[in-house]
Amino acid sequence: MARKYNFYAGPSTLPFEVLKELEKDLVDYQGSGLSLVETSHRSKEYDEVHFSVINGIKSLLDVPDDYEVLLLGGGATLQFSMIPQNLLGDKSSVDFVVSGTWAKKALADAKLYAEANVLWDGKDGAYTSLPSPADLKPNAESAYLHITSNETINGVQWKDFPESDIPVVADMSSDILSRPLPVDRFGLIYAGAQKNLAPAGVTMVIIRKDMINRAPEKLGAYLKYKTHADKDSLYNTPPVFPIWAMSKVLKWIEGKGGLEGIQELNSRKASLLYGVIDNTDGFYNCPVDKDVRSHMNVVFTLKNEELQDEFLKGASQRDMLGLKGHRSVGGCRASIYNAMPLEGVQALADYMKEFAKKNG
Amino acid sequence: MARKYNFYAGPSTLPFEVLKELEKDLVDYQGSGLSLVETSHRSKEYDEVHFSVINGIKSLLDVPDDYEVLLLGGGATLQFSMIPQNLLGDKSSVDFVVSGTWAKKALADAKLYAEANVLWDGKDGAYTSLPSPADLKPNAESAYLHITSNETINGVQWKDFPESDIPVVADMSSDILSRPLPVDRFGLIYAGAQKNLAPAGVTMVIIRKDMINRAPEKLGAYLKYKTHADKDSLYNTPPVFPIWAMSKVLKWIEGKGGLEGIQELNSRKASLLYGVIDNTDGFYNCPVDKDVRSHMNVVFTLKNEELQDEFLKGASQRDMLGLKGHRSVGGCRASIYNAMPLEGVQALADYMKEFAKKNG
């Protein structure tokens, strides 16, 4: 096969080694005579995988003992409404930083259940910047402060996080496990799997234990974090395949030197691309403030917009896929999550230089 | 490999052909240079799979034009609370038939959002029978009547369905696509995938279009059927792997002669086991009323309970797994969903006869 470089924003590339391991065991799981995806979720075989994921996340992120790791379905989109329903408690308001498309989606759902104070909105700058964490003044009466650690469409990423007297809740769908994280500064962290964790279909939630019991009585069983926490995320049948894949992704990250190793690799990859963008005499432009440029989603435009189609076509001919920017903002975007190899980014950087030289 | 016969209640056996096809394409999807599970859900490749599932379900079940087919996450357990939140409208009550463990779970969640009238409860008979559909008298003022078409733990299955002036809502997680279905007699049908559809992680919902708009304004985006219906279940990233697997399962069912063919096969399989149970001089016993015995989950006990462990051990030695009854009811259970081959059921029937002869 000719494996291509997959720069899609999500679902996104998986480590090739992980795909090969899944393939090897897909029909006959470790000689058990069954596939893991058709094995009872109460079986010894699945149990081992399930807890290796929960414990693997705890280990990689150094999750403190007063937090639970949950594995849920429904995507981060379901979390947008589960979070206010579970965490509002006796409060009536929540605080938000609106950093881009995904923060707006989280805000829209929160507004259905609570009064929402927008502490900062990047609208005037077309979502190309972020506030300084120290400048944020959360309301003491709010149930939590919600942030989005990385915006896939706008290409901004928090480099440091707010210190806050009220719990910080973060959507980390697009940069979870891309760097070490001070988990103890958050009340709740959530992440859909399909960027850095696994194929789509499972969502990881890390929640501080004292926040689990804030939910009202009248909330459906699946919608309550307590339901899942009490049963180690085995209250109902979990999404077996993505959890199995995640168990392999976590081991792959360990093999890369854990989150320090991955962060170093991600920095090198991001520097390669931003280096080309900033050093081709304005042929390319990244609109994002330099100090909050995402290491996961590198957004850029071509000064001569008429060349964009040719640029994308040439990339595709060189087996580099998914470089078109999101339809809502246009331009180009290279999503370079954990599993994108350095070679793929190098190939893109080389092509970008070559294309600029030829057309500049 | 020595493939085993998998009688687990769920996740449960998949057609071997489907597993082999998934294996073949897992690393490189049809020569695209990517796995489908790492391909954008906006790609042409995924789009084809996605709509082949929606259209395949419509075709197999002969779904009328005034219904939508949705593919969601979170399992049937999430549906337990989505249903009352979406369908209550201006009503305040719902009607329930309590046929076993799963109906009780659906009822518990409905009670959080509505007044629930229990029209019939199988408790006194230990959930071994069902009401006659004609005897049910739904309340005209209730938003819907909820039934559970097959109870995996108790082994009862509706053979005909209520005709009702209020919409009938049915949890068909454990017998969907096992037989032809009069879809037009239902307002909403839902089914977790992990018995007859696909590996765990996706839930199918068939909803009559006029019921989609009953939801209140203040309901989170993911929790509203309308959100998913408006975007063909692509509002957020769908669980790609189980949907891909489902596309293959649907084709496999077509190859078996569609739902008529599958029903015929399922009848033969069920008759084999109930035949042994009823014709071994009371060595085995099925507590379920003969006219509502499930063709999916055959529950039975051994007259001499002390022999049960030996029976299960012998089955396991013969590569027949998952025959222990649910911990809440004990006894034995053979789950013989669509994908359990006739040969597997024949092997079990033969073993049951042999065991009875030896120990009777």
Side-chain angles (χ1 to χ4, degrees):
Chain A
M1 73 172 282
R3 184 158 168 85
K4 297 187 179 172
Y5 290 123
N6 173 0
F7 292 96
Y8 280 119
S12 53
T13 194
L14 289 161
F16 188 62
E17 302 91 311
V18 166
L19 283 172
K20 294 296 287 180
E21 284 175 38
L22 293 170
E23 178 191 44
K24 180 175 154 287
D25 261 0
L26 185 69
V27 173
D28 182 15
Y29 183 71
Q30 300 186 349
S32 66
L34 305 175
S35 173
L36 191 68
V37 300
E38 49 178 2
T39 303
S40 170
H41 60 301
R42 311 289 179 199
S43 68
K44 177 175 61 63
E45 287 83 4
Y46 179 70
D47 209 62
E48 277 176 20
V49 168
H50 189 83
F51 286 99
S52 85
V53 167
I54 291 174
N55 294 327
I57 290 168
K58 285 181 180 170
S59 164
L60 277 171
L61 281 170
D62 205 5
V63 175
D65 286 344
D66 56 335
Y67 285 74
E68 293 276 1
V69 172
L70 310 178
L71 303 172
L72 308 179
T77 304
L78 176 57
Q79 294 309 308
F80 294 159
S81 54
M82 276 181 69
I83 288 165
Q85 291 186 87
N86 276 272
L87 302 191
L88 207 52
D90 56 1
K91 311 282 190 183
S92 59
S93 70
V94 297
D95 288 359
F96 263 78
V97 173
V98 181
S99 49
T101 305
W102 290 102
K104 279 189 265 187
K105 288 206 177 201
L107 173 65
D109 259 19
K111 278 181 171 175
L112 298 169
Y113 300 98
E115 192 187 320
N117 310 308
V118 174
L119 301 191
W120 186 93
D121 191 324
K123 192 178 174 185
D124 288 346
Y127 300 106
T128 55
S129 64
L130 286 173
S132 165
D135 292 345
L136 291 172
K137 302 290 173 230
N139 294 290
E141 281 311 301
S142 286
Y144 55 83
L145 163 63
H146 185 283
I147 67 167
T148 308
S149 62
N150 182 73
E151 290 278 358
T152 54
I153 293 175
N154 312 93
V156 297
Q157 183 180 32
W158 293 75
K159 303 300 172 180
D160 191 15
F161 298 104
E163 302 263 15
S164 159
D165 290 334
I166 65 173
V168 180
V169 170
D171 178 358
M172 297 199 179
S173 295
S174 52
D175 68 353
I176 190 76
L177 300 193
S178 69
R179 52 183 171 173
L181 199 64
V183 173
D184 60 356
R185 283 164 65 180
F186 295 88
L188 187 151
I189 292 166
Y190 64 109
Q194 62 269 19
K195 282 90 158 87
N196 274 339
L197 297 175
V202 64
T203 305
M204 188 205 70
V205 173
I206 304 175
I207 182 169
R208 213 173 62 208
K209 286 179 181 171
D210 66 291
M211 300 188 70
I212 292 174
N213 293 317
R214 289 191 182 188
E217 278 297 303
K218 289 191 174 290
L219 186 57
Y222 196 89
L223 298 175
K224 269 186 191 166
Y225 292 123
K226 184 168 168 41
T227 303
H228 304 287
D230 286 351
K231 299 284 186 184
D232 294 320
S233 302
L234 287 166
Y235 174 76
N236 70 328
T237 313
V240 172
F241 180 80
I243 292 175
W244 178 35
M246 204 194 302
S247 73
K248 297 192 178 292
V249 170
L250 298 178
K251 288 196 183 75
W252 177 85
I253 293 175
E254 281 169 25
K256 294 282 175 188
L259 297 184
E260 282 83 5
I262 281 286
Q263 180 178 40
E264 154 96 30
L265 188 61
N266 286 331
S267 281
R268 287 176 63 195
K269 285 151 53 182
S271 297
L272 268 177
L273 295 187
Y274 289 119
V276 173
I277 291 167
D278 291 338
N279 294 292
T280 36
D281 296 325
F283 187 86
Y284 300 105
N285 178 53
C286 171
V288 179
D289 280 3
K290 283 193 177 173
D291 52 356
V292 295
R293 284 178 171 180
S294 170
H295 284 195
M296 298 285 105
N297 310 94
V298 178
V299 298
F300 59 98
T301 53
L302 275 68
K303 190 177 180 182
N304 181 353
E305 282 180 19
E306 287 175 7
L307 290 172
Q308 183 176 305
D309 285 351
E310 193 187 326
F311 173 79
L312 292 171
K313 199 175 152 197
S316 180
Q317 283 164 349
R318 287 160 179 78
D319 288 345
M320 294 182 278
L321 305 182
L323 287 163
K324 196 171 181 177
H326 191 269
R327 59 192 180 283
S328 64
V329 295
C332 300
R333 170 175 56 175
S335 294
I336 51 172
Y337 301 113
N338 285 354
M340 170 55 67
L342 185 61
E343 297 73 37
V345 178
Q346 186 65 59
L348 175 58
D350 291 346
Y351 169 62
M352 286 172 73
K353 279 191 275 189
E354 178 198 320
F355 189 85
K357 199 171 171 187
K358 189 177 144 201
N359 297 283
Chain B
M1 73 173 282
R3 183 157 169 85
K4 297 188 178 171
Y5 289 123
N6 173 359
F7 292 97
Y8 280 119
S12 52
T13 193
L14 288 162
F16 188 62
E17 301 91 311
V18 167
L19 284 172
K20 293 296 288 181
E21 284 175 38
L22 294 170
E23 178 191 44
K24 179 175 153 288
D25 262 1
L26 185 70
V27 172
D28 182 15
Y29 182 71
Q30 300 186 349
S32 67
L34 305 175
S35 172
L36 192 68
V37 301
E38 50 177 2
T39 302
S40 169
H41 60 300
R42 311 289 179 197
S43 67
K44 177 176 61 66
E45 288 81 4
Y46 178 69
D47 209 62
E48 277 177 20
V49 168
H50 189 82
F51 287 98
S52 86
V53 166
I54 291 174
N55 293 327
I57 289 168
K58 285 182 179 171
S59 165
L60 276 171
L61 282 170
D62 206 5
V63 176
D65 286 344
D66 56 334
Y67 286 75
E68 294 275 0
V69 172
L70 310 178
L71 303 172
L72 309 178
T77 304
L78 176 58
Q79 296 309 307
F80 295 161
S81 54
M82 275 181 70
I83 289 166
Q85 290 185 87
N86 276 271
L87 302 191
L88 207 51
D90 56 2
K91 311 282 188 182
S92 59
S93 70
V94 297
D95 288 359
F96 263 78
V97 173
V98 181
S99 49
T101 305
W102 291 101
K104 279 189 265 187
K105 289 207 178 199
L107 174 64
D109 259 19
K111 277 181 171 172
L112 299 169
Y113 300 97
E115 191 186 319
N117 310 307
V118 173
L119 301 191
W120 187 92
D121 191 324
K123 192 179 175 185
D124 288 346
Y127 299 105
T128 55
S129 63
L130 287 173
S132 164
D135 292 346
L136 292 172
K137 302 291 175 229
N139 293 291
E141 283 311 300
S142 286
Y144 56 84
L145 164 63
H146 185 284
I147 67 168
T148 309
S149 62
N150 182 73
E151 290 278 358
T152 55
I153 293 175
N154 312 93
V156 297
Q157 182 180 32
W158 293 75
K159 303 300 174 180
D160 192 15
F161 298 103
E163 301 263 15
S164 158
D165 290 334
I166 64 173
V168 180
V169 170
D171 178 357
M172 296 199 179
S173 295
S174 53
D175 68 352
I176 190 75
L177 300 192
S178 70
R179 53 181 171 172
L181 199 63
V183 173
D184 60 356
R185 283 162 66 180
F186 296 87
L188 186 151
I189 291 166
Y190 64 108
Q194 61 269 21
K195 282 89 158 87
N196 274 339
L197 297 176
V202 64
T203 305
M204 188 205 70
V205 173
I206 304 175
I207 182 168
R208 214 172 60 209
K209 286 180 182 172
D210 66 290
M211 300 186 72
I212 292 174
N213 292 317
R214 289 191 183 188
E217 279 297 303
K218 289 192 175 289
L219 186 56
Y222 196 90
L223 297 175
K224 268 186 190 165
Y225 292 123
K226 186 169 167 40
T227 303
H228 305 286
D230 286 351
K231 299 284 186 186
D232 295 320
S233 301
L234 287 166
Y235 174 77
N236 70 328
T237 313
V240 172
F241 180 80
I243 292 175
W244 177 35
M246 204 194 300
S247 73
K248 297 190 180 293
V249 170
L250 298 179
K251 287 195 185 74
W252 178 86
I253 293 175
E254 281 169 25
K256 294 283 177 191
L259 298 184
E260 283 81 6
I262 280 287
Q263 180 178 39
E264 154 95 31
L265 188 60
N266 286 331
S267 280
R268 287 176 65 194
K269 284 152 53 182
S271 296
L272 268 175
L273 294 186
Y274 289 119
V276 172
I277 291 166
D278 291 339
N279 293 291
T280 37
D281 295 326
F283 186 85
Y284 300 105
N285 178 52
C286 170
V288 179
D289 280 4
K290 283 194 177 172
D291 51 357
V292 294
R293 283 177 172 181
S294 172
H295 283 196
M296 298 285 104
N297 311 95
V298 178
V299 299
F300 59 98
T301 54
L302 277 67
K303 190 178 180 182
N304 180 352
E305 282 180 20
E306 288 176 4
L307 290 172
Q308 183 175 306
D309 285 351
E310 193 187 328
F311 173 79
L312 292 172
K313 197 175 155 198
S316 180
Q317 284 163 348
R318 286 160 180 79
D319 288 345
M320 293 183 278
L321 305 182
L323 287 162
K324 195 170 180 180
H326 191 269
R327 59 192 181 282
S328 64
V329 295
C332 299
R333 170 175 56 173
S335 294
I336 51 172
Y337 301 113
N338 286 353
M340 168 57 66
L342 185 62
E343 298 73 39
V345 178
Q346 186 65 60
L348 175 58
D350 290 347
Y351 169 61
M352 286 174 73
K353 280 191 274 189
E354 177 197 321
F355 190 85
K357 199 170 171 187
K358 189 176 146 202
N359 297 284

